[in-house]
Amino acid sequence: MPARTFALATAWLAARGWRPFAFQRQVWRAIAEGRSGLLHATTGAGKTLAVWLGILERFSAPAPVDIAQTAIKKEAKAPPLTILWLTPMRALAADTLRALQAPLPDLAPQWSSGLRTGDTPSGERAAQARRLPTLLVTTPESLSLLIARADARELLGSVRLVVVDEWHELMGNKRGVQVQLALARLSGWRPELMVWGMSATLGNLDEALRTLLPAPDAAAPPPAPALAQGEVAKQVLIDTLLPERVERFAWAGHMGLQMLPRVAEAIEGSGSTLVFTNTRSQAERWYQALIAARPHLAGAIALHHGSLDKGVRDWVEHGLKHGRLKAVVATSSLDLGVDFLPVERVLQIGSCKGVARLLQRAGRSGHAPGRPARITLVPTHSLELVEAAAARAAVRAGQVEQRHTPRAPLDVLVQHLVTVALGSGFRPEALYAEVRRTAAYAGLSPEAWQWCLDFVRRGGPSLAAYPDFHRVVPDGEGDDEGVWRVPDARLARRHRSNIGTIVSDAAVTVQFVGGGRLGTVEESFIARLKPGDAFLFAGRLLALVRVHEMTAQVRLAPARRAALPRWGGGRMPLSSTLAEALVRELAAAARGELGSPEMRHAAPLLALQQRWSALPTPGTLLAETLKSREGWHLFLYPFAGRQVHIGLAGLLAWRAARQAQGTFSMAVNDYGLELLSARPIDWAALLPALIALPTEAPADAAAGRRPRLLAEVLDSLNAGELARRRFREIARIAGLIFQSHPGERRSARQLQASATLYYEVFQKHDPGNQLLAQARQELLDQELDIDRLAATLQRMRGQALSVHALARATPFAFPLMVERLRERLSNEPLAERIARMVAELERAAGGAAAGDEGAQSVQEALRLSDGEAPAGDAAAGKARRARRLRKARP
């Protein structure tokens, strides 16, 4: 094959003063050779141009020679759908389309382009129903909807290449499985189909490539796939806004607004800034606080998250892109791939909890080759100073989290069967072979496949009498004999309106009484409010007027304390990669090595922890025991993340109860866990037995331990109730219950009641139902992370146990005590209790003045987090703090 010069792509770049990088040429060559692949490169290095210009070189007609020919080409009918570009988010889809359209007038003037997501207007959808554009930017859900069309094969059979953007965001979840199934379908229609994935933050590239591509046909194998890595040097600057005062007794859970003055100064001293928070509630509060602290920036500071109305999000994105906004407070809605060149700096409020997420957010600044990315970490409590130092060390060492595909989720497969039946229909033998080409279902057994067929045909033995569950049936006559299809138009409409794997609490629309729409909040939040109650949303203080048919009507409220909406997914567990880096930083501190500004700033906290107890190291497992008025405490610090600690705490409490009868209170955070017994218990003597791996298993057979460990974990928790909650999501994806019918939306209470009914029916009349088994397995794998729990127990057994009897709570133990108190105390009693505890501990550590200062700091943090204005009448604020401080003193 003659060498390709890629003259069109090179000339297009040269006209803009650019030259292609070596990795871009590598991608162009691979696409020219008909190869699929994965491109991994830092954010802003030019991944999109690498893949897109290679596509245009391969598939577009030669560039026009003169103006007359250009006019003729533009008048010619555009080629059929050729390129599908999948993105995980709607905001990313719109921005991606704008970027992809830039070279079309020069390199492919005859091509048409379009967008298809949940935000696409009905008029544009109608036009696409008649003819899809040559390039279509879409989401996994919208692609599944296209596959569900009766003419799906005619529409999508012309696709020659699919790009999956931000593959790391999809690979490890059910949306990624949905993509795998769709790609297997498309490649079955066109065996030479090319697939390219793009990512900036993956630690297991070979596995990521294998997961992305359908298994090749052994009879006609395609060219070997390519793994391209961008070697363009991208400087990532990571620093931290250091607080004026380090709390030696830090506790998580407040908004971090004590850092507001420093953040406001950083915004004013920078160009365009993105301020990331980890939750939508935190974004709402920080946006309101910044406006109050810097009123002159009103109109130059904006808010962005996924629950806001599309019009609001579009306005913010355009303002960022054109440099009209000084700062935007955002959540993960702006995490991915959106190209905002004016952004110079990213501020991250609180810990990112993972190295990949930190790099992803850092890449939103300096989004161009040669420009450094800068992210400034803003700790919300003192222990996050250590996390900040650990995150920077992990980035320097190139340590990024791995992601793995879910294995054979049958709820997604059941949904896919109905989707394909709605489309061109299927023959079971052929579709089984197609499904097994995906990484997620490569090991799918014939028995599991037959169960899925039976389930979509008649709902299984317990639902066979109900016509609504006869969703797919085989044709019995003619040329289509044996082809499975959906026979009922009503069931077809219901399925199409519920395609997808994103499951959340039912959304309630928020709009002004006059009709202006603001966005959506979770129904469970609105259900707690009474008419007249105030809450913060869309950067406004609103008062609830009434709730009618899943719409909350509101009006602007006068200034008062406000509630903050809740959204799911707010608690992100600490990743194992970051946790290991964190322990290494603590081990260095134990040796007296404080090599970063963050660690030097956290020195008072670390020194006190070491004086009263010890600091953990990779080779030691730190445990602390304490006798207080509440009982006998055990504090244990595996540093394995919140999810693992939930299962571990339940397991240890269950094992302890078998040794000595009693009940235990539990608390967990990302660093450790607390067990509290009201009866006397010698935790130090009992602990070695508690952390043992199951003794019945062979010493060299880790796989043999897993079933015994599973049984113990399930016995130690209310596993039935946890699995029941998990089942609701599975039932929705599998089509047992529906978030909405055409023209109707169902409340969260209705959905939960329906899911509970099915769960109980299956348990009683169909105990072998595979969805019940899946609920239990997902509980173990995803909520409790059983594999990581087993690895944590294995690691703990290999560490030297370091047990310290305490006279009082240490800086590490204190946040666990607060976590437990939070579960049973309301805001005001909790504030008073925390303030008293901090005052007592600070006096023990450093005198009465330190105690008073610590209590005042607690009150100030709680005042800001509860929604009181951060700026206002100084005298009134001082008097209010004095009153609260007097109440807090013992």
Side-chain angles (χ1 to χ4, degrees):
M1 182 176 183
R4 296 289 297 263
T5 61
F6 308 111
L8 299 179
T10 303
W12 189 85
L13 290 175
R16 286 147 186 82
W18 303 333
R19 289 188 300 174
F21 295 114
F23 80 89
Q24 292 174 324
R25 286 187 170 275
Q26 179 187 355
V27 173
W28 298 348
R29 282 193 297 272
I31 293 175
E33 294 164 0
R35 301 166 67 192
S36 298
L38 174 67
L39 170 57
H40 189 266
T42 56
T43 299
K47 293 190 298 296
T48 300
L49 285 177
V51 174
W52 184 227
L53 293 181
I55 289 171
L56 294 177
E57 279 273 5
R58 170 70 189 261
F59 296 113
S60 69
V65 176
D66 55 38
I67 295 175
Q69 288 188 1
T70 300
I72 292 171
K73 288 180 180 293
K74 287 185 176 179
E75 291 173 3
K77 191 174 183 181
L81 177 63
T82 305
I83 307 299
L84 272 174
W85 196 289
L86 296 183
T87 68
M89 298 180 70
R90 293 173 296 181
L92 180 57
D95 190 76
T96 297
L97 179 61
R98 288 190 288 267
L100 298 181
Q101 287 172 333
L104 291 183
D106 299 314
L107 301 184
Q110 73 279 18
W111 280 27
S112 57
S113 60
L115 183 68
R116 190 178 184 94
T117 70
D119 288 336
T120 303
S122 57
E124 187 173 346
R125 287 175 179 272
Q128 290 176 357
R130 295 187 294 272
R131 181 177 176 83
L132 287 171
T134 314
L135 160 70
L136 183 65
V137 179
T138 189
T139 60
E141 293 75 22
S142 292
L143 175 56
S144 292
L145 278 167
L146 290 174
I147 291 174
R149 288 181 47 157
D151 58 349
R153 183 161 190 168
E154 291 72 25
L155 277 175
L156 301 174
S158 60
V159 174
R160 302 182 67 182
L161 190 146
V162 180
V163 179
V164 184
D165 205 351
E166 308 288 357
W167 176 229
H168 61 272
E169 185 69 17
L170 296 168
M171 177 181 166
N173 55 44
K174 290 181 181 179
R175 295 184 78 206
V177 174
Q178 188 179 9
V179 170
Q180 292 179 49
L181 289 168
L183 293 176
R185 190 77 179 148
L186 295 177
S187 65
W189 292 335
R190 181 180 280 271
E192 70 274 19
L193 178 77
M194 284 186 276
V195 178
W196 274 84
M198 298 195 300
S199 177
T201 52
L202 273 171
N204 49 331
L205 296 180
D206 290 333
E207 181 182 352
L209 178 59
R210 291 193 303 271
T211 303
L212 174 68
L213 304 181
D217 184 350
L227 179 56
Q229 297 196 57
E231 300 298 333
V232 180
K234 179 74 172 179
Q235 187 179 14
V236 181
L237 306 176
I238 304 172
D239 59 3
T240 302
L241 283 187
L242 302 176
E244 293 181 2
R245 179 182 181 275
V246 173
E247 302 164 332
R248 290 186 289 188
F249 298 95
W251 49 282
H254 47 80
M255 294 284 181
L257 283 163
Q258 66 274 20
M259 296 293 291
L260 177 63
R262 302 292 311 280
V263 170
E265 291 172 6
I267 289 173
E268 289 192 315
S270 305
S272 185
T273 302
L274 271 176
V275 182
F276 277 113
T277 66
N278 290 337
T279 68
R280 299 178 191 182
S281 302
Q282 195 177 29
E284 290 277 353
R285 186 69 194 96
W286 267 90
Y287 170 75
Q288 196 76 16
L290 284 168
I291 292 294
R294 295 293 189 273
H296 64 279
L297 290 179
I301 298 180
L303 175 68
H304 192 289
H305 58 68
S307 289
L308 296 178
D309 186 67
K310 177 182 181 295
V312 176
R313 288 184 274 115
D314 285 347
W315 180 85
V316 174
E317 291 161 24
H318 282 94
L320 264 180
K321 181 170 285 291
H322 295 98
R324 293 193 296 265
L325 292 173
K326 181 72 171 172
V328 173
V329 183
T331 61
S332 56
S333 60
L334 289 182
D335 260 9
L336 299 175
V338 185
D339 182 5
F340 298 128
L341 287 178
V343 175
E344 295 179 0
R345 186 179 189 181
V346 169
L347 296 173
Q348 167 63 41
I349 308 296
S351 169
C352 280
K353 299 299 180 184
V355 181
R357 187 177 293 109
L358 183 147
L359 288 171
Q360 192 70 40
R361 293 184 170 181
R364 306 281 62 80
S365 64
H367 201 280
R371 289 177 56 185
R374 183 183 181 189
I375 186 168
T376 298
L377 307 178
V378 183
T380 61
H381 59 82
S382 299
L383 285 169
E384 286 186 346
L385 288 166
V386 185
E387 285 192 49
R392 184 170 54 243
V395 169
R396 287 174 176 168
Q399 297 164 337
V400 181
E401 291 83 7
Q402 297 187 357
R403 290 173 175 82
H404 309 283
T405 183
R407 295 294 175 186
L410 297 188
D411 55 344
V412 183
L413 182 55
V414 163
Q415 184 184 110
H416 183 68
L417 291 181
V418 182
T419 296
V420 173
L422 272 173
S424 50
F426 67 86
R427 297 183 185 275
E429 300 81 5
L431 188 58
Y432 179 48
E434 177 181 298
V435 164
R436 291 193 65 194
R437 294 178 60 208
T438 66
Y441 298 100
L444 184 70
S445 68
E447 294 77 16
W449 172 251
Q450 187 59 50
W451 183 90
C452 291
L453 292 175
D454 293 341
F455 189 75
V456 298
R457 184 174 185 178
R458 60 176 65 89
S462 57
L463 301 176
Y466 301 94
D468 271 9
F469 301 102
H470 301 180
R471 292 180 282 174
V472 181
V473 296
D475 247 325
E477 57 185 27
D479 293 339
D480 285 342
E481 183 177 359
V483 175
W484 290 45
R485 303 187 191 279
V486 176
D488 189 317
R490 180 180 60 87
L491 296 180
R493 288 193 301 271
R494 191 168 70 176
H495 179 80
R496 285 192 179 97
S497 65
N498 288 273
I499 280 178
T501 62
I502 301 174
V503 179
S504 62
D505 196 356
V508 174
T509 298
V510 179
Q511 68 179 42
F512 285 117
V513 174
R517 190 177 186 275
L518 296 171
T520 60
V521 299
E522 287 188 357
E523 183 195 20
S524 58
F525 169 74
I526 288 293
R528 296 187 298 121
L529 301 181
K530 304 184 300 294
D533 284 353
F535 63 101
L536 280 174
F537 181 66
R540 296 173 170 92
L541 184 58
L542 306 172
L544 179 66
V545 176
R546 68 182 67 88
V547 179
H548 179 64
E549 294 183 351
M550 301 299 284
T551 297
Q553 296 180 340
V554 299
R555 60 169 54 98
L556 291 175
R560 69 180 85 168
R561 179 176 295 191
L564 283 166
R566 284 200 316 258
W567 288 274
R571 282 189 166 181
M572 300 181 294
L574 189 71
S575 75
S576 57
T577 301
L578 185 53
E580 291 166 4
L582 181 62
V583 173
R584 289 194 295 269
E585 290 293 322
L586 292 172
R591 299 190 299 269
E593 302 170 8
L594 302 173
S596 67
E598 295 88 353
M599 295 300 288
R600 290 190 289 273
H601 211 65
L605 182 156
L606 301 175
L608 185 61
Q609 172 68 31
Q610 199 162 18
R611 178 153 58 98
W612 285 2
S613 173
L615 290 170
T617 71
T620 61
L621 174 62
L622 176 62
E624 298 170 343
T625 61
L626 173 67
K627 169 64 174 70
S628 74
R629 286 174 295 182
E630 295 179 294
W632 283 257
H633 304 255
L634 169 68
F635 302 100
L636 191 66
Y637 306 101
F639 283 84
R642 179 183 295 273
Q643 280 179 288
V644 170
H645 293 159
I646 290 172
L648 187 58
L651 175 64
L652 299 186
W654 180 78
R655 287 178 173 179
R658 296 181 68 187
Q659 301 287 328
Q661 287 296 320
T663 57
F664 302 90
S665 299
M666 299 184 295
V668 303
N669 60 20
D670 279 320
Y671 309 139
L673 60 93
E674 177 196 20
L675 297 181
L676 171 62
S677 169
R679 294 185 177 183
I681 186 167
D682 188 349
W683 288 114
L686 193 58
L687 190 55
L690 297 185
I691 63 175
L693 286 162
T695 54
E696 303 92 335
D700 59 346
R705 296 191 185 100
R706 194 176 191 270
R708 295 173 176 83
L709 183 59
L710 293 181
E712 286 192 327
V713 171
L714 290 173
D715 285 343
S716 69
L717 298 169
N718 187 3
E721 182 56 38
L722 292 173
R724 186 191 307 264
R725 189 176 65 197
R726 195 79 194 180
F727 180 79
R728 172 184 159 185
E729 298 184 5
I730 292 170
R732 216 288 289 153
I733 294 171
L736 285 172
I737 59 177
F738 295 90
Q739 190 82 40
S740 64
H741 296 266
E744 174 194 354
R745 298 180 70 186
R746 306 184 69 195
S747 70
R749 185 173 297 179
Q750 289 171 312
L751 292 173
Q752 187 59 56
S754 299
T756 299
L757 177 61
Y758 285 120
Y759 187 85
E760 292 171 353
V761 167
F762 290 158
Q763 279 200 314
K764 185 174 182 179
H765 301 289
D766 187 13
N769 190 290
Q770 293 294 307
L771 299 183
L772 292 180
Q774 183 182 338
R776 291 189 289 267
Q777 193 61 48
E778 286 190 9
L779 166 66
L780 293 166
D781 291 344
Q782 298 178 30
E783 292 196 29
L784 301 176
D785 203 347
I786 192 67
D787 288 334
R788 191 174 170 191
L789 173 56
T792 299
L793 278 173
Q794 180 73 47
R795 174 171 53 81
M796 290 163 62
R797 289 296 299 167
Q799 293 175 309
L801 189 57
S802 176
V803 183
H804 297 261
L806 305 178
R808 59 190 63 83
T810 63
F812 282 10
F814 177 74
L816 285 165
M817 298 180 78
V818 171
E819 197 73 33
R820 177 170 46 80
L821 291 172
R822 195 195 311 276
E823 298 297 324
R824 60 185 181 87
L825 293 178
S826 62
N827 284 349
E828 197 64 28
L830 177 63
E832 296 172 10
R833 182 70 179 274
I834 293 174
R836 280 200 304 271
M837 292 168 66
V838 169
E840 291 168 359
L841 290 169
E842 285 287 3
R843 288 191 189 98
D852 290 348
E853 188 178 354
Q856 183 171 342
S857 174
V858 169
Q859 293 293 345
E860 182 69 8
L862 285 164
R863 180 182 69 81
L864 293 171
S865 297
D866 283 347
E868 293 187 20
D873 184 347
K878 185 175 181 180
R880 182 170 56 246
R881 286 193 296 274
R883 287 195 302 273
R884 290 191 171 184
L885 184 57
R886 285 196 297 272
K887 285 177 65 179
R889 289 178 180 170

